[in-house]
Amino acid sequence: MSPVTVSRALAQLAAEGLVVTRPGAGAFRAQPRPQAAAAGDTSWQEVALSADGAADVVPRSVDASGVLVSLAAPPPGVIEFNGGYLHPCLQPERAMAAALSRAGRRPGAWGRPPMEGLPELREWFARQIGGPVTAAGVLVTSGGQSALTTALRALAPPGAPVLVESPTYPGMLAIARAAGLRPVPVPVDADGVRPALLADAFKATGARVLVCQPLFQNPTGAVLAPERRGEVLRIAREAGAFVVEDDFVRRLVHEDAGPLPRPLAADDPDGVVVHVCSLTKATSPSFRVSALVAHGPVLERLRAIQVVDTFFVPRPLQEATLELVGSPAWPRHLRAVSAALRSRREAMTAALRLHLPEPALPHVPSGGYHLWLRLPDGTSESALTAAALRAGVAVTPGRPYFSAEPPAGHLRLSFAAVAGTGEIEEGVRRLRTAFDDLPGRPGQRAGAHRPG
Ligand SMILES: Cc1ncc(COP(=O)(O)O)c(C=O)c1O
């Protein structure tokens, strides 16, 4: 065996507690661990966890299921149409590894960073967003999820209403509910959130926060229309409310998209917008670096909550981000992802039109990583999702995307987390099988194929 293999084996045994290594002396068998103590009685926790909150206006509930659906790995052999991140073959693995290794050797890399983030990284985020945004308004945060949590906790007290698009990202609804907030849905159409309904919702609820995704909205893929951008900001301003802009997939624009609208934050001199953008979607779920951007006194509130909750983003990761986005591999990677997502989207839409025309596909987005299908009336989402899994494809049901009763059944199909277009076609064929297996369906269609 090579010395490297031996030292890796020893490191693993040491980590498992089976050997101890003494520098200069060798590796020795560790003392056996004492027997585990008898399992205690944890039933008291049921009472403790339910006892508080009696005085809460809106009971807090922590439910991670909407988030886990896009994070959990599917069982072996199952095609992952429910993933929320790029498949490893689309991730810039080499560039991230090189960036991390260079970052680890930068002077001071393991020291304490400034609490708001490294100045050069704040500067980079500010340049990316554009408009009046400067580095002083940027806080470096640990992924979009954490930035949204900070924003909602900072902007709305427990019990307060918060306006959300309908449908919207279940992870954000989970954040709101865990903070004791009351999500109030405002419908989205092909042009984004509907201004007249937004104005009504502000009036009816007195909410001080709207959370929206103006670009390639999750799940509909809608882009806020140019004439609505100013209107949404004006309506929020008149209501004395903040707009939390979750700009989560700007970097996953498809090759055939036209020029992208600027972030709302770039056209907001009055500090209405609290902007969130994250690098995870274009890199890897583990590359947890994002920015929370604001202007005015609210910045201090956001900064305080971020420091209290998480201190700061690990400096090596911030340094690695600077290495990554400054390397020639970064623009190359973004171009490659842009081309791959376009061909995956085309493969999925073509396969759906061929094999599964029944669900409506009202909008084909030119960015992001998924399609949003409306199921025919009377189709049970949960039965279809379960049948799909039996047929070997994991899909995301639409229900968790609605904070109130949904108008119809939906499915979200992701094309980023699979290995390639072959898997996309096979996944859609499996979905056809699942559809035919639903109670009341006529049975197998010609050409549909059951996986072995
Ligand atoms: C709309 C939206 N915002 C934010 C996030 C959070 O992503 P992350 O914390 O990895 O940046 C997600 C993840 O799926 C999302 O879909």
Side-chain angles (χ1 to χ4, degrees):
M1 276 190 281
S2 74
V4 174
T5 307
V6 172
S7 83
R8 279 202 189 140
L10 279 175
Q12 169 137 9
L13 290 170
E16 288 174 15
L18 296 172
V19 302
V20 283
T21 50
R22 295 197 199 110
F28 302 88
R29 199 168 152 224
Q31 293 294 323
R33 279 202 331 167
Q35 285 290 311
D41 175 7
T42 58
S43 44
W44 66 271
Q45 292 187 0
E46 278 184 51
V47 180
L49 292 172
S50 324
D52 68 348
D56 285 354
V57 185
V58 178
R60 264 172 279 199
S61 64
V62 185
D63 177 3
S65 55
V67 184
L68 289 174
V69 81
S70 69
L71 284 175
V78 170
I79 292 178
E80 190 176 356
F81 278 175
N82 61 344
Y85 294 94
L86 296 179
H87 186 272
C89 70
L90 292 179
Q91 294 178 13
E93 280 186 340
R94 283 239 208 102
M96 288 190 293
L100 203 53
S101 114
R102 286 196 301 272
R105 292 193 299 272
R106 283 182 161 204
W110 295 91
R112 198 170 37 197
M115 298 294 132
E116 298 83 359
L118 296 179
E120 306 90 308
L121 188 53
R122 297 170 74 197
E123 198 65 69
W124 180 79
F125 273 119
R127 271 199 311 278
Q128 296 286 304
I129 297 162
V133 175
T134 65
V138 175
L139 305 173
V140 177
T141 44
S142 253
Q145 192 71 10
S146 150
L148 287 170
T149 305
T150 303
L152 287 186
R153 288 225 296 122
L155 301 176
V162 50
L163 303 191
V164 299
E165 292 169 312
S166 180
T168 192
Y169 166 52
M172 189 275 295
L173 295 175
I175 293 171
R177 293 185 182 120
L181 304 177
R182 184 162 53 85
V184 176
V186 185
V188 165
D189 64 17
D191 290 328
V193 71
R194 292 174 54 185
L197 295 176
L198 179 65
D200 288 348
F202 272 125
K203 269 197 208 96
T205 61
R208 294 305 178 111
V209 184
L210 158 73
V211 186
C212 82
Q213 304 160 43
L215 189 65
F216 308 131
Q217 202 254 359
N218 181 7
T220 60
V223 177
L224 189 64
E227 63 281 7
R228 287 193 186 176
R229 292 166 56 88
E231 225 179 326
V232 167
L233 292 185
R234 179 186 54 76
I235 291 168
R237 177 88 172 73
E238 280 172 16
F242 288 97
V243 175
V244 176
E245 174 183 39
D246 183 5
D247 199 13
F248 79 117
V249 279
R250 177 166 294 271
R251 292 176 183 83
L252 297 192
V253 55
H254 304 171
E255 199 182 37
D256 55 346
L260 293 187
R262 307 192 323 158
L264 290 179
D267 295 315
D268 167 45
D270 296 342
V272 171
V273 178
V274 172
H275 174 93
V276 171
C277 58
S278 168
L279 289 176
T280 60
K281 296 289 177 185
T283 55
S284 136
S286 283
F287 209 94
R288 304 205 62 71
V289 175
S290 57
L292 182 56
V293 182
H295 169 55
V298 68
L299 187 60
E300 188 46 40
R301 175 89 64 91
L302 294 166
R303 197 182 81 91
I305 291 195
Q306 143 91 355
V307 172
V308 168
D309 279 358
T310 57
F311 286 10
F312 50 78
V313 176
R315 182 161 185 156
L317 203 49
Q318 297 195 48
E319 302 277 5
T321 310
L322 285 169
E323 289 283 353
L324 180 67
V325 301
S327 73
W330 179 242
R332 267 204 312 273
H333 162 68
L334 292 180
R335 278 196 301 277
V337 168
S338 196
L341 289 177
R342 175 196 180 172
S343 69
R344 284 160 175 247
R345 182 204 71 209
E346 286 174 349
M348 189 175 261
T349 44
L352 285 169
R353 284 177 182 139
L354 182 65
H355 297 294
L356 198 64
E358 294 91 335
L361 181 55
H363 176 61
V364 177
S366 52
Y369 53 87
H370 48 74
L371 299 178
W372 179 241
L373 306 182
R374 183 184 168 120
L375 298 176
D377 286 348
T379 314
S380 156
E381 240 176 44
S382 52
L384 181 55
T385 308
L389 202 54
R390 284 197 301 278
V393 57
V395 298
T396 313
R399 181 66 187 92
Y401 291 79
F402 292 91
S403 53
E405 291 75 3
H410 289 84
L411 280 193
R412 198 194 77 155
L413 303 184
S414 160
F415 46 78
V418 292
T421 50
E423 254 192 31
I424 290 177
E425 282 146 23
E426 175 58 19
V428 172
R429 278 195 289 264
R430 293 184 187 184
L431 199 50
R432 169 81 257 165
T433 305
F435 204 74
D436 288 336
D437 278 353
L438 290 178
R441 297 287 314 167
Q444 194 99 351
R445 261 167 42 112
H449 150 100
R450 203 175 277 272

